[in-house]
């Protein structure tokens, strides 16, 4: 199966993906990884906290399918990935107040200035996250690109409470789970910028 390296999230094909609201188990904490790729992070989380439910939102359809095949192979019924565009689709997937924690792990950097508009962190994404988070829900971001870390901090700092203190990065991940990119950074000795935010109870 051919899986593309990158797709442009602003392409019209990705603004009308047929989707239905997800049926989430009542009573289980729901964690969502935005741009989940192979969903290794979510599969690790499912091993760490088996009582949770884990959803990956991924714009590369074949990758979402492959992740679902792998989680089925591992017997992880509580990990599911959906082919969707986080820029526009989150309110169609999740009910307001239904998500315990969002993870944005290593968003695509789109280095060229003419491509910056493809970056996913934006005021409208933050508005969606605020609406969909349960009271006291959290947003965790990790990136190895300092400019993206600063952009994310600038968007999240004022509507949400920074768990490390105002304008402060987390020293280490609060999770054992590691995404594929995070493992790569670890192997290469690349610095990772992390932040965690909480919304009001
Ligand atoms: C650099 S990869 C990181 C993947 C994974 N989170 C990790 O840490 O290994 C960024 C992922 O976000 C996905 N992505 C980019 N824009 C997206 C969007 N608008 N909606 C959903 N997924 C998106 C990409 O296809 C890619 O799989």
């Amino acid at each position: 199966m051919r899986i593309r390296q990158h797709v442009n999230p602003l392409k019209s094909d990705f603004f009308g993906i047929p989707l239905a609201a997800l049926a989430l188990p009542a009573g289980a904490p729901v964690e969502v990884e935005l741009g989940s790729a192979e969903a290794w992070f979510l599969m690790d989380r499912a091993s760490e906290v088996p009582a949770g439910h884990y959803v990956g939102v991924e714009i590369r359809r074949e990758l979402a399918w492959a992740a679902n095949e792998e989680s089925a192979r591992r017997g992880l019924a509580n990990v599911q990935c959906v082919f969707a565009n986080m820029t526009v689709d989150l309110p169609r997937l999740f009910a307001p107040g239904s998500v315990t924690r969002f993870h944005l792990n290593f968003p695509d950097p789109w280095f060229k200035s003419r491509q910056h508009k493809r970056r996913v962190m934006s005021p409208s994404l933050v508005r969606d996250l605020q609406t969909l988070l349960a009271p006291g829900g959290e947003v965790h971001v990790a990136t190895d690109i300092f400019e993206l870390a600063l952009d994310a901090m600038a968007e999240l700092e004022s509507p949400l409470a920074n768990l490390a203190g105002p304008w402060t990065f987390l020293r280490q991940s609060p999770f054992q789970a590691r995404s594929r990119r995070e493992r790569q950074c670890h192997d290469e000795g690349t610095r990772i910028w992390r932040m965690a935010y909480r919304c009001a109870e």
Side-chain angles (χ1 to χ4, degrees):
M1 179 168 48
R2 181 177 166 269
I3 297 178
R4 279 177 291 177
Q5 279 294 314
H6 296 286
V7 300
N8 174 1
L10 301 180
K11 224 173 136 203
S12 57
D13 306 22
F14 301 118
F15 279 79
I17 299 172
L19 283 171
L22 295 175
L24 300 173
V30 174
E31 299 196 17
V32 177
E33 185 180 9
L34 302 169
S36 48
E38 299 82 0
W40 288 3
F41 178 82
L42 295 174
M43 292 181 208
D44 278 3
R45 283 294 290 152
S47 305
E48 268 179 87
V49 186
H53 190 80
Y54 302 91
V55 181
V57 176
E58 172 53 53
I59 202 166
R60 287 183 288 167
R61 179 174 29 204
E62 296 77 12
L63 207 43
W65 290 347
N68 282 334
E69 278 178 17
E70 177 60 16
S71 51
R73 195 188 66 76
R74 294 193 198 183
L76 296 170
N78 55 346
V79 178
Q80 69 179 118
C81 292
V82 285
F83 163 51
N85 183 353
M86 74 173 101
T87 304
V88 290
D89 290 331
L90 298 182
R92 290 200 286 155
L93 291 172
F94 304 100
S98 64
V99 177
T100 311
R101 196 172 275 134
F102 282 104
H103 302 274
L104 183 60
N105 291 324
F106 303 89
D108 284 331
W110 298 112
F111 287 115
K112 294 178 184 159
S113 47
R114 68 185 158 78
Q115 294 177 335
H116 283 182
K117 56 182 180 288
R118 298 181 187 177
R119 291 177 175 175
V120 290
M121 182 50 78
S122 70
S124 82
L125 181 74
V126 174
R127 277 195 298 276
D128 283 348
L129 303 187
Q130 282 185 275
T131 303
L132 303 177
L133 279 172
E138 298 176 0
V139 180
H140 291 250
V141 181
T143 175
D144 53 321
I145 313 291
F146 187 56
E147 184 189 333
L148 291 198
L150 289 182
D151 286 350
M153 192 171 258
E155 295 294 350
L156 293 165
E157 190 75 18
S158 115
L160 301 173
N162 188 330
L163 293 179
W167 301 101
T168 303
F169 292 107
L170 283 181
R171 288 192 174 273
Q172 57 190 31
S173 173
F175 311 109
Q176 299 299 316
R178 298 284 179 259
S179 73
R180 181 189 175 112
R181 176 68 191 141
E182 181 163 2
R183 292 174 208 201
Q184 197 182 348
C185 287
H186 180 77
D187 292 346
E188 293 168 355
T190 303
R191 177 156 190 183
I192 297 173
W193 306 94
R194 302 173 192 281
M195 60 213 96
Y197 289 88
R198 184 173 288 148
C199 67
E201 295 283 341

